[in-house]
Amino acid sequence: MLSETVLKEIEEIKAKYPSARSALLPALYVAQREFGWQSEKAMQAVAQALNLPEAEVRGTATFYSMYKHKPMGRHLIQLCTNVSCMILGAERLVDFLKNRYGLTQNGTTADGRFSLVIMECIGGCDMAPAMLLNTDFYGDLTEEKIGEILGGYK
Amino acid sequence: MENFLLKNIENPDSADIEEYLKIGGYKNIAKAFELEPKAIIEEVKKAGLRGRGGAGFPTAMKWSFAAADPKFPKYLLCNADEGEPGTFKDRPILEKNPHLLIEGMVISGYALGAEYGYIYLRGEYPHAKDVLNKAISQAYEKNYLGDNILGKSIKFHLAVHQGAGAYICGEETALIESLEGKRGQPRTRPPFPVNVGAWAMPTVVNNVETLCNIPYIISIGSEAYSQIGSKDCPGPKLYCVSGCVEKPGVYELPMGTSLKDIIFNHAGGIKGGKKLKAVIPGGISTPVLPESMIDCPMDFSSMPKHGSMLGSGAVIVMDESVCMVKVTYRALKFFEHESCGKCTPCREGTEWLRKSLGRIERGEGREGDIELLQEISENIMGKTFCPLGDGAAGVVLGMLKHFKGEFEEKIKAKGSRV
Ligand SMILES: Cc1cc2nc3c(=O)[nH]c(=O)nc-3n(C[C@H](O)[C@H](O)[C@H](O)COP(=O)(O)O)c2cc1C
């Protein structure tokens, strides 16, 4: 269930649009923040709050890659491997994360500290290879640099 | 040429409304409100502004269709999805010059009769979201947004709508679906969004950069504006350069600056003094050009004559060490992942292309694979619901046109070329 405060937050989002359904994407973000991922419970709660069929909520929630369908680690690494990052060495970073942290696509470290999502372009091509760590951009990455950065996230 | 779109962005506080006001910001709203909405559309038409989202559609024409539709309310949507790989040209505006965008949207909304606007912002720009939300609330406080802008009884409301990681939502009808809370799949056209768009109302979708050109046109007038850059698509253009160059970044230059000039004069040339091999000139969906073909003006009408497209102005530079098979394979992985699944040629075709390319890339290529790639691409081209499929096919066909030898070599050698 969603708390009163969160329900109120969703009501406020609804007010920004001429139809309640338009609040679905933002409401899914809210649910993800509250539940950590799009669990059955999370999607049910959103369906209820917006008075939508659960199937519609699930259909939308599974279409977009930023909604997570399993629990994630405390910190989310979103590493770009698209062409601009690839030609400047993103693949080495993928290998490094695998060898050093055991991280693979959509995986989480055993201690629950990091999850890795390999992204399509994140618009950080001027600082390729680049990643988003939670909501922060990091660029010009090397194995050494990424190791250092991750060290700062407990 | 002095920067307009990227003016003041070296100032660390450039996103603050006070800083924007200091450099003359928001003055163009008052100037525009002196004009009738129709006169603004006429100015934009005379200026010759063409949309910067990729297709280069004449902005005034789009606006006039929506303005002529008798239905109300009308909506103005800013396309800040910026999902085309290699593209990061709108990011400096969104993160550092948000008030220019707001100013552009207020004027545009007034011109076409829209009182509500949304900025559809890609989920991968969380920082821009905070900046925009703050800028919007500052603009409300100062009465540049709201029910009675500058006391002129002109109304415009604006909010940010955050996407959630789907390239297809940059396509304008998919964007509208996504704004309505649905899966982002393109709609059938006609009806066009200008008549039946968001919530079935007349809707204009414009790119961030397009909307930011509006205050410029109002400021210097259509006559002066039309003198900048290429004759048939004038104005400043943001080119974003990435890959193997010394100085990757966003460059504001007159439309039609040559690709060679962009790479060698502005972006500092090839990294580490290596040799240039190929350039993807307008984002991953535009056909590759070999080194011998980069002496071409980067604008909407010239690039097709040189076998590619301006697209989003995202220049991806590749030096001699980059393997074209690998690049093509990576590009197709992207298209397969982003295909929305609505139409068969795109959904199936991108998967087949990716699989065949993967085979060649792994050194398991078979005789006849090149013909197969050619055939699948031709069966996608022109047969898909939206241009995503065409983009995928165009990438493969472009690569085969200029770098077929590399594919053949890899099939023969059964191994990577590196
Ligand atoms: C697959 C696909 C992705 C697109 N992505 C974007 C995008 O990220 N940003 C954008 O402005 N336009 C994008 N477009 C173009 C839009 O459909 C539309 O033409 C544009 O937003 C119109 O704005 P403009 O007239 O100002 O150029 C995309 C088109 C397609 C087919």
Side-chain angles (χ1 to χ4, degrees):
Chain A
M1 274 321 296
L2 293 166
S3 70
E4 281 301 314
T5 347
V6 174
L7 285 172
K8 205 174 141 240
E9 185 182 347
I10 293 179
E11 284 307 309
E12 280 165 17
I13 295 171
K14 269 183 46 207
K16 293 203 297 185
Y17 304 97
S19 87
R21 167 97 196 221
S22 286
L24 181 51
L25 266 65
L28 285 167
Y29 272 120
V30 170
Q32 187 153 297
R33 187 191 70 208
E34 295 298 313
F35 292 86
W37 59 294
Q38 305 293 338
S39 60
E40 279 303 307
K41 272 191 189 150
M43 291 188 284
Q44 275 164 12
V46 169
Q48 226 165 41
L50 298 179
N51 199 17
L52 287 172
E54 274 176 51
E56 291 287 338
V57 173
R58 188 170 303 112
T60 304
T62 51
F63 183 86
Y64 296 93
S65 64
M66 295 180 88
Y67 299 128
K68 303 301 168 203
H69 293 274
K70 61 180 188 184
M72 289 278 131
R74 286 197 297 287
H75 305 292
L76 184 61
I77 303 167
Q78 302 187 91
L79 179 72
C80 177
T81 61
N82 209 302
V83 173
S84 295
C85 283
M86 180 188 84
I87 59 185
L88 293 177
E91 286 174 331
R92 285 202 303 274
L93 304 176
V94 174
D95 291 342
F96 173 77
L97 290 175
K98 187 172 169 198
N99 299 336
R100 170 92 174 259
Y101 295 91
L103 277 169
T104 50
Q105 168 67 320
N106 283 322
T108 302
T109 52
D111 59 2
R113 192 166 145 214
F114 295 110
S115 289
L116 172 67
V117 177
I118 291 173
M119 300 289 280
E120 293 304 345
C121 185
I122 57 174
C125 331
D126 51 340
M127 39 178 168
M131 68 171 174
L132 270 168
L133 213 169
N134 299 332
T135 56
D136 293 317
F137 265 112
Y138 290 97
D140 302 314
L141 297 172
T142 56
E143 286 103 318
E144 197 185 359
K145 193 166 167 193
I146 207 172
E148 254 169 48
I149 295 166
L150 295 195
Y153 287 77
K154 292 301 163 199
Chain B
M1 189 181 81
E2 203 191 325
N3 278 350
F4 180 82
L5 303 170
L6 302 182
K7 191 169 169 179
N8 204 31
I9 63 164
E10 321 71 43
N11 174 351
D13 299 319
S14 61
D16 192 82
I17 196 162
E18 296 299 340
E19 297 301 309
Y20 188 62
L21 290 169
K22 268 189 216 161
I23 57 162
Y26 283 115
K27 279 204 179 123
N28 296 303
I29 292 187
K31 203 168 165 192
F33 285 180
E34 303 280 312
L35 301 170
E36 288 295 314
K38 267 205 178 114
I40 297 177
I41 301 183
E42 194 51 36
E43 268 295 280
V44 173
K45 185 177 168 190
K46 278 197 220 142
L49 177 62
R50 292 173 63 175
R52 306 300 200 236
F57 194 84
T59 306
M61 197 191 291
K62 194 187 276 190
W63 287 10
S64 61
F65 292 145
D69 195 296
K71 293 193 293 297
F72 281 95
K74 303 183 203 294
Y75 294 100
L76 174 63
L77 309 182
C78 168
N79 192 340
D81 198 46
E82 189 144 271
E84 178 70 25
T87 314
F88 51 99
K89 70 181 180 70
D90 295 336
R91 205 183 82 221
I93 295 177
L94 298 165
E95 291 183 346
K96 295 178 180 155
N97 212 355
H99 289 288
L100 176 64
L101 176 60
I102 298 173
E103 183 171 15
M105 288 190 78
V106 172
I107 299 170
S108 308
Y110 170 68
L112 61 98
E115 295 180 332
Y116 300 93
Y118 294 89
I119 299 170
Y120 188 100
L121 177 70
R122 68 183 315 212
E124 294 86 344
Y125 283 175
H127 178 55
K129 183 186 161 204
D130 296 340
V131 172
L132 286 168
N133 278 328
K134 182 168 174 221
I136 288 172
S137 63
Q138 286 183 329
Y140 269 104
E141 271 167 34
K142 297 258 186 212
N143 214 11
Y144 294 116
L145 285 171
D147 287 324
N148 185 18
I149 299 171
L150 300 180
K152 301 258 184 201
S153 311
I154 293 166
K155 173 172 161 182
F156 192 74
H157 288 277
L158 185 58
V160 175
H161 185 86
Q162 196 183 8
Y167 166 63
I168 189 62
C169 291
E171 191 283 331
E172 59 182 16
T173 62
L175 182 150
I176 292 170
E177 286 284 294
S178 182
L179 176 65
E180 292 183 1
K182 298 170 194 161
R183 287 179 289 162
Q185 292 188 317
R187 290 180 177 174
T188 314
R189 284 177 295 189
F192 290 93
V194 285
N195 300 117
V196 183
W199 306 289
M201 290 297 156
T203 300
V204 163
V205 183
N206 274 137
N207 173 256
V208 174
E209 186 186 346
T210 310
L211 292 163
C212 289
N213 269 276
I214 303 301
Y216 198 25
I217 294 171
I218 297 297
S219 165
I220 64 171
S222 58
E223 180 60 34
Y225 182 93
S226 68
Q227 304 300 315
I228 304 168
S230 302
K231 259 214 171 78
D232 68 343
C233 38
K237 175 77 194 96
L238 297 177
Y239 298 103
C240 45
V241 190
S242 67
C244 312
V245 286
E246 286 290 348
K247 293 191 293 173
V250 184
Y251 296 92
E252 179 175 344
L253 300 168
M255 179 71 93
T257 304
S258 100
L259 185 53
K260 194 170 181 178
D261 197 24
I262 294 171
I263 297 170
F264 286 95
N265 288 339
H266 299 282
I270 311 306
K271 205 173 173 170
K274 286 198 181 158
K275 219 174 136 267
L276 173 64
K277 179 176 188 179
V279 184
I280 295 174
I284 207 99
S285 302
T286 61
V288 70
L289 295 175
E291 182 269 334
S292 59
M293 287 175 70
I294 62 161
D295 211 350
C296 49
M298 279 281 278
D299 66 37
F300 291 111
S301 352
S302 308
M303 290 306 283
K305 292 179 202 149
H306 288 83
S308 193
M309 287 181 290
L310 176 62
S312 59
V315 178
I316 306 174
V317 179
M318 295 170 282
D319 70 22
E320 55 197 333
S321 70
V322 177
C323 168
M324 294 296 123
V325 178
K326 198 166 170 178
V327 169
T328 317
Y329 171 60
R330 183 63 188 86
L332 262 294
K333 245 167 108 169
F334 164 77
F335 287 113
E336 179 193 17
H337 185 257
E338 299 301 330
S339 175
C340 79
K342 183 163 178 155
C343 71
T344 316
C346 177
R347 185 187 60 236
E348 302 298 315
T350 51
E351 183 185 341
W352 293 351
L353 285 174
R354 190 267 303 157
K355 280 187 178 158
S356 317
L357 285 161
R359 192 161 67 218
I360 301 173
E361 161 66 13
R362 286 192 308 273
E364 295 160 14
R366 302 189 291 233
E367 210 179 307
D369 267 349
I370 290 178
E371 291 73 19
L372 184 66
L373 289 174
Q374 193 98 28
E375 191 187 316
I376 300 170
S377 303
E378 281 161 9
N379 275 313
I380 298 175
M381 194 60 102
K383 298 184 178 72
T384 56
F385 204 82
C386 87
L388 188 145
D390 294 338
V395 167
V396 176
L397 293 173
M399 283 289 186
L400 290 179
K401 185 169 162 197
H402 300 296
F403 296 99
K404 196 175 193 167
E406 233 173 274
F407 288 76
E408 287 168 345
E409 207 179 293
K410 214 159 175 177
I411 291 172
K412 260 197 223 129
K414 302 227 181 258
S416 189
R417 190 177 166 273
V418 180

